[in-house]
Amino acid sequence: MLLSNALPFYRPVHIKITNKLGNGLDLTLHCKSKEDDRGEHLLHEEKSYSFSFIPNIFGSTLFYCSFKWSGQVHRFNIYDGTRDECHRCNW
């Protein structure tokens, strides 16, 4: 038996964020967790940014992102180990 099948917290989580704003709007995003800063990325319309990680053994991994467009900033928890069960999470 593979370790990743025996211990679900070793199973990688894949996050994909796609700019679906429309009207040619660009999206700037910056994602991070307590342990990992993924940096700032500019997404043109219909472009995506993806990353993967292995959740911690306590199930408390939290990734949050700020999203900027049209002079506005919005923040979301895009992965919360206490809430989410996805291993392929699309935003």
Side-chain angles (χ1 to χ4, degrees):
M1 179 184 331
L2 293 173
L3 184 59
S4 62
N5 291 335
L7 302 171
F9 52 81
Y10 281 115
R11 189 171 173 196
V13 171
H14 306 282
I15 303 289
K16 182 178 181 182
I17 301 167
T18 303
N19 177 356
K20 298 275 190 181
L21 294 173
N23 296 322
L25 291 174
D26 287 339
L27 173 67
T28 302
L29 61 96
H30 188 171
C31 298
K32 59 173 94 174
S33 71
K34 184 177 177 182
E35 297 83 19
D36 191 7
D37 187 335
R38 295 293 174 147
E40 190 171 279
H41 301 272
L42 175 65
L43 298 181
H44 300 298
E45 187 175 9
E46 296 299 324
K47 297 299 179 186
S48 298
Y49 169 69
S50 299
F51 65 95
S52 299
F53 60 92
I54 295 177
N56 67 36
I57 62 172
F58 307 108
S60 61
T61 300
L62 176 65
F63 264 96
Y64 49 96
C65 300
S66 63
F67 298 90
K68 299 177 198 173
W69 73 91
S70 298
Q72 300 178 26
V73 177
H74 303 272
R75 291 178 180 83
F76 299 99
N77 292 342
I78 62 161
Y79 180 86
D80 182 341
T82 64
R83 175 194 71 195
D84 299 317
E85 295 181 12
C86 61
H87 289 283
R88 292 203 178 277
C89 308
N90 295 302
W91 282 81

